[in-house]
Amino acid sequence: MLETLFKLREHGTDVKTEVLAGFTTFLTMAYIIFVNPEILSATGMDLKAVFVATCIAAALGSAVMGLVANYPIALAPGMGLNAYFTFSVVKGMGVSWQVALGAVFLSGILFLVISLFKVREAIVNAIPHSLKLSISAGVGLFLAIIALKNAGIVVGHPVTLVTLGNVHDPKALLAIFGFLLILALEYRKVTGGVIIGILVVTVLAMLLGYQQFHGVFSLPPDLSPTLLQMDIKGALTAGLLGVVFVFFFVDLFDTTGTLIGVSHRAGLLDSQGKLPRLKRALMADSTAIVAGAALGTSSCTAYVESAAGTAVGGRTGLTAVVVAILFLAALFLSPLAGAVPAYATAPALCYVAVLMARGLAEINWDDLTEAAPAAITALAMPFTFSIADGIAFGFISYAGLKLLSGRFRDLSPTVVVIAVLWIVKFALF
């Protein structure tokens, strides 16, 4: 049956290798079951319900990717998108988390529609490479400032806006230690380095009396506080249409880039450098977003940590199915997830920020018409505390600078339209 479903021999692999790859991928991305509830609970959402939604959405998305598209790529609620959901939409715009979930649901429907056609690929190809790289880096910097704030390392200041916090605070010191530990483990290629770092800081916090221990295993918590709570009608208001667009836009590049990047490393691209069965893979992503919103979590996306599984031989969807099974098993770890403090997940956020910032190195810094908009995009996100505003400033500055520099031939109609739409949004809303 497994041979028929996944064509193991055709891909030069076997069941043992695929199972090992699945375990490896899960361990590298399991931090999301601790980090995602911590971030989303800041909106007022029930932490335990979000924990369940995170596990089920990740299991569903990974299972569909494995069974339908037959790729060794796992999905889960995306880092950056959850931060945008919490800090830009709910806290920044003052809307309810139910309305924000409605915006995620609508973005998933939009994804589903364009995935049936070739619109998604056309949009991706039309966006300048420098802006794609800077959006990823900007999201990373945004995550970093959230992490530093959660750890108490960076605090507000009435004159300088931000300043150094109390680094003598044991919680801040634990966060710093956790970050260095994760970096060291990842450098040494220790499988599951991120989740090990989170758990070590959590255990130290318990031993020092800063956190209570509530056990490790229990039956899954109640999902009803977030299940089907999205407010679609509220998300259809004019002020939220831009939010729907940003959810759609960020996930568009995140997932597509991950699919291509991981598949390239695994040797799964065809002779023309394209991804076979791309439509099926995009459908898996879209399904996970819609289902995740219905369950009660922010947008799901393909995880770059899937490359860890392909590195040990994962080549088929069986790897992703194993990840899905492990996420379902993780449902019984809710007491442990609820005991993880914000300063224990902060090191993981900083590590993700490091990975996402590396895209800046690929930007052509000798061309100011490419470098300046990229820098504006990346810097605007943490300084405005808004991913959406960073993307907006990036597109507006890119289009404006190209026109003023006489480089209008570099502009695609798509970029111009997006820039104009952002200008209209700032002018009218």
Side-chain angles (χ1 to χ4, degrees):
M1 183 184 69
L2 294 178
E3 177 60 40
T4 302
L5 274 175
F6 303 110
K7 298 179 174 59
L8 300 176
R9 282 194 292 270
E10 180 182 320
H11 288 86
T13 184
D14 54 38
V15 174
K16 180 181 177 181
T17 300
E18 295 293 303
V19 171
L20 175 62
F23 268 92
T24 303
T25 295
F26 175 76
L27 286 174
T28 60
M29 63 184 289
Y31 64 86
I32 194 63
I33 67 176
F34 303 115
V35 178
N36 197 52
E38 184 70 41
I39 291 177
L40 296 189
S41 65
T43 67
M45 297 176 74
D46 184 86
L47 186 143
K48 291 185 177 180
V50 175
F51 166 79
V52 175
T54 299
C55 292
I56 296 177
L60 179 62
S62 299
V64 174
M65 179 66 79
L67 294 171
V68 177
N70 198 23
Y71 281 118
I73 298 174
L75 288 85
M79 295 297 298
L81 287 162
N82 51 12
Y84 174 67
F85 180 100
T86 298
F87 300 103
S88 292
V89 181
V90 178
K91 294 201 164 201
M93 299 178 66
V95 304
S96 69
W97 60 263
Q98 292 90 340
V99 170
L101 280 179
V104 173
F105 184 85
L106 291 174
S107 73
I109 295 296
L110 182 59
F111 248 118
L112 203 57
V113 172
I114 70 163
S115 294
L116 292 172
F117 307 98
K118 292 189 176 180
V119 179
R120 184 174 183 176
E121 297 162 65
I123 293 175
V124 172
N125 292 334
I127 305 304
H129 184 61
S130 59
L131 287 188
K132 294 178 188 176
L133 295 170
S134 62
I135 289 170
S136 176
V139 170
L141 295 176
F142 185 64
L143 287 174
I145 198 166
I146 292 170
L148 294 171
K149 175 180 174 291
N150 287 346
I153 297 171
V154 169
V155 296
H157 192 280
V159 177
T160 61
L161 296 182
V162 293
T163 189
L164 183 66
N166 179 15
V167 292
H168 299 103
D169 187 335
K171 296 177 182 178
L173 293 174
L174 282 172
I176 294 170
F177 168 73
F179 178 56
L180 295 176
L181 177 61
I182 288 173
L183 290 178
L185 292 172
E186 290 295 324
Y187 176 77
R188 292 174 176 272
K189 302 189 184 305
V190 175
T191 301
V194 175
I195 195 169
I196 290 172
I198 292 174
L199 293 177
V200 166
V201 172
T202 301
V203 170
L204 287 175
M206 290 175 179
L207 293 175
L208 294 170
Y210 300 116
Q211 197 71 13
Q212 296 296 314
F213 178 67
H214 301 292
V216 178
F217 300 103
S218 75
L219 291 174
D222 183 14
L223 181 60
S224 60
T226 59
L227 181 64
L228 298 177
Q229 294 299 308
M230 67 275 195
D231 182 357
I232 299 173
K233 183 178 179 181
L236 286 171
T237 60
L240 268 293
L241 291 180
V243 172
V244 174
F245 170 75
V246 172
F247 277 129
F248 163 79
F249 189 74
V250 174
D251 198 42
L252 175 71
F253 298 123
D254 193 28
T255 296
T256 305
T258 299
L259 285 171
I260 299 299
V262 174
S263 298
H264 173 70
R265 295 181 197 179
L268 298 174
L269 301 181
D270 61 21
S271 57
Q272 296 180 324
K274 295 182 178 180
L275 191 65
R277 307 182 304 283
L278 177 60
K279 181 185 285 189
R280 294 185 186 182
L282 299 181
M283 291 295 290
D285 174 37
S286 308
T287 302
I289 295 173
V290 173
L295 291 165
T297 184
S298 53
S299 299
C300 291
T301 185
Y303 261 60
V304 71
E305 284 85 351
S306 301
T310 61
V312 297
R315 292 295 180 271
T316 75
L318 181 54
T319 294
V321 171
V322 171
V323 174
I325 293 171
L326 292 172
F327 268 114
L328 290 178
L331 284 169
F332 298 91
L333 298 175
S334 61
L336 183 60
V340 176
Y343 54 86
T345 56
L349 294 181
C350 286
Y351 172 67
V352 173
V354 170
L355 297 182
M356 298 182 79
R358 63 185 176 185
L360 292 173
E362 299 178 37
I363 294 170
N364 180 11
W365 293 99
D366 293 327
D367 185 349
L368 275 178
T369 65
E370 296 288 335
I376 290 169
T377 302
L379 292 173
M381 289 186 190
F383 287 135
T384 62
F385 217 70
S386 169
I387 294 173
D389 289 341
I391 292 174
F393 293 154
F395 272 98
I396 293 170
S397 61
Y398 188 90
L401 189 54
K402 289 290 185 181
L403 287 172
L404 291 173
S405 302
R407 298 271 297 275
F408 52 86
R409 290 183 180 178
D410 293 350
L411 289 172
S412 69
T414 304
V415 173
V416 175
V417 169
I418 292 174
V420 170
L421 288 175
W422 279 118
I423 292 173
V424 170
K425 181 182 180 300
F426 282 129
L428 300 180
F429 303 106

